[in-house]
Amino acid sequence: MLLIEADGKALLARHGLAVPRAALVRAGEAAGFCLDGSGPWVVKAQVPAGGRGKAGGIVLCRTPEEVEVSLARLLGTTLRGHPVTACLVEEAVCGAAEHYLSLMVDPAGLGIRIAWSRAGGVEVESAAPPAACTTSPDEAAILAAAEEILATADPAERTALRGAVRDLARALLAEGLLLVEVNPLFIGSFGTLAGDAKVVLDLNLAEGQADLRALVLARPDAYPDAVRKLQEGFDYVELDPEGEVGLVTTGAGLSMVVVDEMTAAGLRPLNFCDLRTGQLRGDPTRLVRVLDWISARPSVCVVLVNIFAGITDLGEFGRLLSDALDRTGLRLPVVARLVGTGAAAGRAELARRHPGVIVEDDLLAAVARAATLCKP
Ligand code: GDP
Ligand code: MN
């Protein structure tokens, strides 16, 4: 998962990377905000997405008044599909060279890919930066690979860049990160300063690391899906806040198929969901949660349940779904496709306790039924 810049920078700073002085300002805190020093400052929308500069989410401000105006203009809006709930107000770095530097896990080569360019900034994608790949994921190999690609750097730049590579390598290896990208990396008489940080962490690893877990859990606004996963133990990703169909599905692949079929039928799925029904163990809580999250979205007009049962016993699932429907405040039509182990028992349970649930045998028929309920 991609961290917001403020979290990415904090994580990299722990491993020695220098970052500009900054303050994080949340919605509602903007009034009276003031930074010491004489400016200028940059106000930066904190959303877990790249390309904020091009989308207007990065504003250079010369006075505290301009900072206030920019905060008021950005907070509460949506940028690159994410709500702006916080902004970073940073001391601007002026007159320094803007480099690009990144380290990335290369799963195919089992090594680390390192890329550097003297021409950092928002257009870096248009010119592929020189890159090298290590054959083992360790600091010495990364530093050796860096020497190869830094061969064309000026001697002074090279010294500064070596230090930044070492800090990024330590952060990547110690935290089990998938990507650390600093663009721009300012280089000047001060050494290096990270102007931006794109840090991707492996949520499955973070689950077992107390400090990374805490970092994610501290920001339910910025990382709603990841917080849900850490708290509930299964995957639910909101795809479209204006979605029409709420999905109650299990198995990552099958869930993606349902999302694809929905989209092909011209419907807008609200969410991806991998319930992991094998872990329900007689407890309907996960189902109650999913139905509640779906109910909270006013654009949804129908719920589609699609369970292809292997290990899961649909007799038990039918009971749990009925329990969940009793407990949630859901007021929407439900279409259910239950196939596999114990399907007859599951359908009988639903027919007895929730006769309003529409049962279909075939996925495409279920999708078509959802479509007619949504767009009569
Ligand atoms: P991104 O577009 O999401 O990658 O956001 P960045 O944080 O990289 O900001 C976009 C661009 O704004 C950078 O590439 C810089 O050119 C510029 N920028 C950001 N912070 C500063 C700063 O402190 N000083 C200066 N001069 N430019 C900045
Ligand atoms: Mn950037």
Side-chain angles (χ1 to χ4, degrees):
M1 62 173 285
L2 176 61
L3 298 181
I4 58 169
E5 177 191 1
D7 286 342
K9 280 180 169 167
L11 203 55
L12 297 181
R14 268 195 233 161
H15 295 275
L17 193 75
V19 299
R21 285 210 313 152
L24 190 70
V25 180
R26 286 160 215 272
E29 292 177 350
F33 177 81
C34 121
L35 269 184
D36 41 353
S38 57
W41 297 275
V42 240
V43 175
K44 314 181 83 177
Q46 296 300 292
V47 290
R52 296 166 305 156
K54 285 190 172 172
I58 310 288
V59 190
L60 185 69
C61 300
R62 312 236 152 246
T63 64
E65 292 71 37
E66 281 179 37
V67 169
E68 291 289 353
V69 169
S70 300
L71 284 171
R73 230 196 54 230
L74 285 171
L75 288 167
T77 58
T78 298
L79 194 81
R80 296 263 182 228
H82 299 272
V84 181
T85 57
C87 285
L88 202 57
V89 181
E90 237 180 36
E91 280 183 357
V93 177
C94 297
E98 294 189 19
H99 290 233
Y100 170 97
L101 181 63
S102 70
L103 296 184
M104 181 186 173
V105 172
D106 174 35
L110 300 179
I112 307 296
R113 190 181 167 79
I114 165 168
W116 163 71
S117 165
R118 189 180 280 113
V122 294
E123 299 297 340
V124 73
E125 277 90 1
S126 55
C133 208
T134 70
T135 48
S136 63
D138 61 83
E139 190 179 320
I142 294 169
L143 294 178
E147 287 307 315
E148 265 178 58
I149 56 163
L150 296 180
T152 61
D154 301 338
E157 282 177 0
R158 200 181 306 139
T159 307
L161 284 160
R162 274 188 191 126
V165 170
R166 183 202 56 224
D167 297 339
L168 293 186
R170 289 183 181 167
L172 184 96
L173 299 170
E175 311 289 352
L177 306 174
L178 299 173
L179 168 76
V180 289
E181 181 189 81
V182 179
N183 178 34
L185 175 69
F186 294 113
I187 302 192
S189 54
F190 48 79
T192 59
L193 267 178
D196 186 16
K198 198 173 187 182
V199 172
V200 175
L201 61 79
D202 180 338
L203 190 58
N204 291 311
L205 265 182
E207 238 173 317
Q209 287 175 264
D211 52 341
L212 292 182
R213 226 185 122 84
L215 181 152
V216 173
L217 288 172
R219 296 207 199 287
D221 287 350
Y223 315 125
D225 299 325
V227 167
R228 275 193 192 111
K229 182 180 166 110
L230 291 179
Q231 286 175 340
E232 312 288 345
F234 67 97
D235 285 290
Y236 178 100
V237 178
E238 193 169 275
L239 302 170
D240 178 355
E242 302 288 310
E244 301 163 315
V245 185
L247 297 178
V248 180
T249 48
T250 195
L254 187 60
S255 301
M256 283 192 266
V257 166
V258 178
V259 167
D260 286 346
E261 292 296 349
M262 280 287 85
T263 311
L267 291 167
R268 292 171 69 171
L270 171 78
N271 64 295
F272 165 90
C273 167
D274 177 7
L275 268 178
R276 301 190 194 159
T277 43
Q279 297 174 358
L280 290 178
R281 301 189 203 296
D283 181 355
T285 306
R286 288 187 185 187
L287 287 164
V288 175
R289 292 272 190 280
V290 171
L291 293 174
D292 284 348
W293 294 330
I294 291 172
S295 299
R297 287 294 182 213
S299 55
V300 176
C301 41
V302 60
V303 175
L304 178 66
V305 181
N306 183 53
I307 309 291
F308 192 96
I311 296 167
T312 303
D313 173 28
L314 287 172
E316 188 195 350
F317 181 82
R319 265 196 310 285
L320 296 177
L321 181 61
S322 297
D323 291 348
L325 287 168
D326 287 340
R327 286 195 208 172
T328 145
L330 188 80
R331 293 280 167 272
L332 294 168
V334 179
V335 178
R337 175 188 178 237
L338 305 179
V339 288
T341 312
R347 290 172 194 194
E349 184 74 9
L350 277 179
R352 187 170 67 79
R353 292 178 55 192
H354 290 277
V357 172
I358 299 157
V359 176
E360 292 283 357
D361 293 339
D362 177 71
L363 177 59
L364 293 182
V367 170
R369 186 60 90 95
T372 57
L373 287 163
C374 244
K375 295 170 179 168

